[in-house]
Structure formats: C-alpha cells, structure tokens
Amino acid sequence: MTSDDQLAVQAEPDDEITFCRLVERVAACRLCPSMEGRRRVLGPGNGPLDALVLFVAEAPGRLGGDRTGVPLSRDRSGLNFERLLASSGLGRAEVFVTNAVLCNPRDAQGRNRPPRFDEQSRCLPHLRAQLDLIRAPIVATLGAVALRALDRIEPHGIILRQQVGRAVPWRGRLLFPLYHPSEQALLTRAFDRQQQDYRALGELVLSVRAAIS
Ligand code: SF4
C-alpha cells in the first residue's frame, strides 16, 4: 500500500454521516495545504440527493465551481457539460454533480491545473462518503481522473477510450464512463461523439426509470 493509499484509508467516513454533516466536514477540511483559500465545492448546489445519475468530474475550475459554488457551471467546461447533458434529455436539476477533488487546484501562475495524486488521495474519503449517501443507480464519470478515483474505491477495470458510453456493473450500480467536457478533452473525443455518448446515457436512464417504476 502506498502512502497515498494509507492517507485515503485513514480518513474513512462514519457509517451514519448525513449530507449536511458531510458538507460541514468538507467545509472544514484542511488536508491539502495547496488548497488554502479555495472554496470547498460541496453543498445543495451540487444537485438533489435522490438523483438518478451521479456525475463525478475532476476538480472545480477557477472560473467555474470555485467562483460559483456549483460544479461545472459558468466556465467553458460547465457550458459544454450543460449542452452535452441536454443531449441526454436530463436537466441539471435532475442530476447530482461532484468532483473527485473538491477544491480548485492551481499552478504557480494561478491557472487551473490537474489535481495531483496526493490531493486525489486526500479527497478520496469525501468521494466515498458521497457515493454512500447519494444512491443514484447510475454513476457517470467525466474523464480519467474520476474514473481512476472510483477504481481506487473498488476496482472496475474500465479503460476509458475503449468503453466510453457503455455501462458496466459496479458496486450494485451502473458505472457509465464519459470524457470530461473540457475544451482539451474535446480534442480527443469531438463534441458530436460526446453527444452520442450522452444520448446513450439518456437511453440508459429511461430503462432504469422503467425498471424501478
Ligand atoms: S481537495 Fe479535498 S481533501 Fe484537499 S482540502 Fe479540499 S476538500 Fe480537503
């Protein structure tokens, strides 16, 4: 076990934690010195706790979640996400959106940067707690960081480029891997291909709704 894995195990959440308690815990979290002064992006703005789909993205953006308090909102990635989400037939108010890392990572020039592995490790218990609380039957990952975070909670063996847009059983739910809606990821998987992925997600949601109604 690496020291980062040990970090993730040390901070196991309580079995009986409520969402409000988790929000308080995250707001008070100071595990990452690099996140000093950043907003902890978890609260009512993430979405309804009884959502059918729980999206897990990478980390809040400087001009997005860190500014608005709502993941994937207002910045370029957020605007792309809302357009893609519309392809699924789902509205923003129907889904819960969170990040593998709940604070905005920045480089020395103040620009967004990918979260480091140690930051991902420290935030993993918060992600595990959200998965325990928000029992959405579909968990959709947005990008490789989110997919890897879930693999550390319970291995799923998914390779994003091979299995994008296809549901895989995972922890009694369906795990649905998608690309991140960032401009950079659109260079790897173009917008129209991503729209097809979201349409497939919409069809999955319809079948899950029919199965549970
Ligand atoms: S990134 Fe996660 S673990 Fe690190 S300070 Fe923010 S909430 Fe805490």
Side-chain angles (χ1 to χ4, degrees):
M1 184 181 278
T2 67
S3 58
D4 284 324
D5 288 331
Q6 284 167 345
L7 255 178
V9 170
Q10 279 166 12
E12 282 285 334
D14 304 334
D15 287 345
E16 300 295 331
I17 192 169
T18 64
F19 185 68
C20 287
R21 179 72 193 96
L22 178 62
V23 169
E24 288 171 6
R25 178 182 290 184
V26 167
C29 180
R30 296 293 179 272
L31 285 174
C32 303
S34 53
M35 302 300 188
E36 201 50 49
R38 301 285 131 68
R39 190 195 285 256
R40 276 67 181 143
V41 184
L42 185 69
N46 291 59
L49 303 185
D50 60 352
L52 272 186
V53 184
L54 165 59
F55 285 95
V56 182
E58 182 175 300
R62 181 176 66 90
L63 298 176
D66 190 60
R67 191 173 54 158
T68 65
V70 177
L72 286 176
S73 63
R74 302 285 179 87
D75 61 0
R76 199 64 244 170
S77 294
L79 295 172
N80 288 339
F81 175 68
E82 298 205 344
R83 286 175 62 207
L84 289 164
L85 187 65
S87 308
S88 73
L90 289 163
R92 183 71 192 235
E94 298 175 275
V95 299
F96 191 96
V97 185
T98 190
N99 284 293
V101 168
L102 293 172
C103 302
N104 168 227
R106 295 187 195 176
D107 66 15
Q109 284 73 44
R111 297 172 301 209
N112 289 330
R113 63 164 169 80
R116 293 192 310 259
F117 192 68
D118 64 305
E119 294 161 342
Q120 297 173 39
S121 298
R122 293 188 186 100
C123 227
L124 202 57
H126 297 323
L127 180 59
R128 187 185 288 115
Q130 290 169 83
L131 286 161
D132 288 345
L133 277 166
I134 297 136
R135 301 299 306 166
I138 302 168
V139 178
T141 52
L142 300 174
V145 168
L147 196 57
R148 189 166 57 235
L150 296 197
D151 193 59
R152 293 175 72 189
I153 291 172
E154 188 164 313
H156 49 63
I158 294 173
I159 298 170
L160 180 57
R161 68 178 180 281
Q162 293 177 0
Q163 288 164 275
V164 57
R166 296 195 336 234
V168 171
W170 181 76
R171 291 183 110 210
R173 304 170 177 198
L174 294 171
L175 182 51
F176 196 87
L178 292 162
Y179 275 76
H180 194 275
S182 67
E183 295 290 297
Q184 196 179 356
L186 286 170
L187 299 175
T188 303
R189 194 161 179 89
F191 193 84
D192 59 337
R193 299 288 303 280
Q194 291 210 38
Q195 277 186 311
Q196 290 173 19
D197 301 333
Y198 279 75
R199 279 195 277 273
L201 174 64
E203 287 167 15
L204 181 65
V205 168
L206 288 179
S207 64
V208 167
R209 268 205 189 112
I212 62 179
S213 62

